[in-house]
Amino acid sequence: MTSQERDTAIYSVNVSFVAKGMTSRSVCEKMTMTTENPNQTVVSHFFLEGLRYTAKHPSLFFLLFLLIYSITVAGNLLILLTVGSDSHLSLPMYHFLGHLSFLDACLSTVTVPKVMAGLLTLDGKVISFEGCAVQLYCFHFLASTECFLYTVMAYDRYLAICQPLHYPVAMNRRMCAEMAGITWAIGATHAAIHTSLTFRLLYCGPCHIAYFFCDIPPVLKLACTDTTINELVMLASIGIVAAGCLILIVISYIFIVAAVLRIRTAQGRQRAFSTCTAHLTVVLLYYVPPVCIYLQPRSSEAGAGAPAVFYTIVTPMLNPFIYTLRNKEVKHALQRILCSSFRESTAGSPPA
């Protein structure tokens, strides 16, 4: 359906009926609008089915997701504040870590609040057609940018360990800013392509998205037109991007491992490789779950299982802990900031 056809559609939807005790099926029947063709209707809102195993105890899972979201945002913003304020963390790897923390905080914000809203009321599961498009774009923008950023971080580790004399010149402040900017730009373009391809299709019902947020595979299953081209583009584009980035990361670490093994002392080898363990861990957490989802777009269970929850909700929460526990510099910088804040608060408090 073209934008002109949607603009000429005469329909006014009011989702307040959800609060009146209507079932999700009757909700979907109301979430269509008639176009100029009287025999054709299009979906104006979608109904997110959410996570199936949360239905019996919604209040408990609401508190759980609230805790996860709070830890995710607070942890990543704390890392971002630490990297930005501590002069000891001036290396390029920490510059990229700041971008990663910001991405994780935003990525969690795209999905988790809507999940929590759906746990409270049926109305919280409803999302407009335009809202679904915005959520899908933001998710793929942030997720693909993070994918490119992991590749840049691997290249940074390769230069630091394999070419230490060339590293200060190759990874100067300007180069870091340019590489980070390029990752954001490519991520925005990548997300725009997939969003436009997904929402150019006609959606005339049903409106149930068997997922906890708007993503490409579950949304495509609701299209009334042929989605073969979309699925091929999704598999080719996302597959090429993810596989290409992963191959570059693997190649970087092959050279890194070879360089580390040439170091004569065990202490030197451990110190060199310790700067890479956190990055390797988050890369594995990032890449493995999506493979289970996007390589089987027609599977009804692809978006409803644990892999989807893990890489969209849990991984952004774990990243600050991984970088804090596995990186001594970040750990010490965080301790300095917390100690400084504690001293300032105690110094400013009135005596008893």
Side-chain angles (χ1 to χ4, degrees), residues 50-51 210-213 217-218 221 292-293 296 299-306 308-309:
L51 299 168
Y211 209 31
F212 56 95
F213 71 98
K221 290 196 297 184
C292 304
I293 298 171
Q296 44 181 349
S299 173
S300 60
E301 299 297 329
V309 178

Side-chain angles (χ1 to χ4, degrees), residues 83-106:
V83 171
S85 60
D86 197 295
S87 58
H88 296 84
L89 303 179
S90 57
L91 293 176
M93 64 176 294
Y94 301 117
H95 173 79
F96 297 131
L97 177 59
H99 282 270
L100 178 63
S101 298
F102 181 74
L103 283 169
D104 280 335
C106 294

Side-chain angles (χ1 to χ4, degrees), residues 285-307:
L285 292 176
Y286 177 84
Y287 272 98
V288 174
V291 171
C292 304
I293 298 171
Y294 293 104
L295 292 185
Q296 44 181 349
R298 289 187 175 275
S299 173
S300 60
E301 299 297 329

Side-chain angles (χ1 to χ4, degrees), residues 13 16 32 87 126 143 153 156 186 194 203 210 215 231 243 288 333:
V13 64
S16 61
T32 59
S87 58
V126 177
M153 295 173 76
D156 169 74
I186 298 177
H194 285 288
Y203 295 91
D215 199 7
E231 292 176 3
V288 174

Side-chain angles (χ1 to χ4, degrees), residues 317-336:
M317 178 190 68
L318 294 179
N319 284 353
F321 294 100
I322 293 171
Y323 271 98
T324 302
L325 296 176
R326 303 293 298 182
N327 189 293
K328 293 182 179 180
E329 287 77 10
V330 175
K331 185 188 299 185
H332 294 160
L334 188 58
Q335 290 174 351
R336 285 192 293 269

